[in-house]
Amino acid sequence: ATSSLLLTGSNDGSVRIFDGLLEANDEISREKPSLVSSFFAAPDIVTDKRYSSGLVLDYQQYGGKLTAGGNTKYIRTWDIASEKCVNTFESKSDACLTTLTTAWDYSFDSGYSGLGPDIIVCGYGNGSLRVFDGRSTKGDVLYLSGGLSGRSGLSRRRKYSEYDEHTSWIVDVSF
């Protein structure tokens, strides 16, 4: 087993994780990778619409976390090691989710950076963007207060953040 896992997602909502793609010396293996896990990350995905996004994923290998959405009403966060869905919340849009990312990156040099692994930014087929807190079952977002008000610390918003800056599909979001 290596520390380099390959995660694939399919239009039917299924996810497969493979090991053995790379050798210990970081060269591509001559052997076929082995399937180590398989499950449905979005079991209620709709595949019969003409303009559907299918399955959309964000995989944090070092954190062992997967965020899944797409042409479904729900966004789910998964613990990869246990293959357990740890949270499900509504995407709050009639449009299909076309892209998503988390505000958390891993670098071998500096470790983790970003706002946190639970902040999720989603782009939709109607051009809107929404920011969610994956720890909340309602998808609320946390934000830092302060600035002009002089307050500091974390406050909880009662509503998700929504941005309607585009009129066509959002194809990518990055932090």
Side-chain angles (χ1 to χ4, degrees):
T2 67
S3 63
S4 179
L5 300 175
L6 174 68
L7 182 134
T8 63
S10 180
N11 200 32
D12 64 357
S14 66
V15 167
R16 293 182 179 164
I17 301 172
F18 297 89
D19 192 9
L21 183 68
L22 298 177
E23 298 289 342
N25 61 1
D26 290 334
E27 289 186 12
I28 295 177
S29 176
R30 294 175 188 248
E31 302 295 322
K32 181 179 177 182
S34 60
L35 180 68
V36 294
S37 181
S38 179
F39 60 95
F40 281 95
D44 57 343
I45 201 161
V46 178
T47 58
D48 61 349
K49 287 189 175 181
R50 182 175 177 194
Y51 297 105
S52 79
S53 58
L55 181 64
V56 178
L57 303 170
D58 181 73
Y59 178 42
Q60 297 176 3
Q61 180 175 338
Y62 291 98
K65 181 178 167 189
L66 175 71
T67 305
N71 205 36
T72 172
K73 294 188 325 182
Y74 301 101
I75 298 169
R76 293 178 171 86
T77 54
W78 293 84
D79 177 285
I80 292 297
S82 65
E83 297 178 13
K84 180 180 177 184
C85 180
V86 294
N87 198 357
T88 300
F89 54 91
E90 289 189 35
S91 70
K92 301 180 181 176
S93 178
D94 291 333
C96 61
L97 186 142
T98 56
T99 185
L100 64 87
T101 190
T102 54
W104 199 240
D105 290 318
Y106 181 80
S107 167
F108 286 108
D109 299 331
S110 58
Y112 290 101
S113 66
L115 295 174
D118 298 305
I119 304 301
I120 303 166
V121 179
C122 298
Y124 292 87
N126 63 1
S128 66
L129 293 165
R130 291 186 171 83
V131 182
F132 298 95
D133 183 340
R135 298 167 291 192
S136 169
T137 57
K138 296 177 185 171
D140 293 334
V141 68
L142 291 175
Y143 70 101
L144 290 174
S145 63
L148 297 175
S149 68
R151 293 175 41 207
S152 62
L154 291 176
S155 298
R156 184 173 294 277
R157 294 178 92 174
R158 297 199 185 278
K159 191 175 180 184
Y160 60 93
S161 294
E162 181 176 346
Y163 307 93
D164 291 319
E165 301 297 323
H166 302 277
T167 56
S168 60
W169 279 44
I170 304 295
V171 297
D172 190 26
V173 289
S174 299
F175 254 97

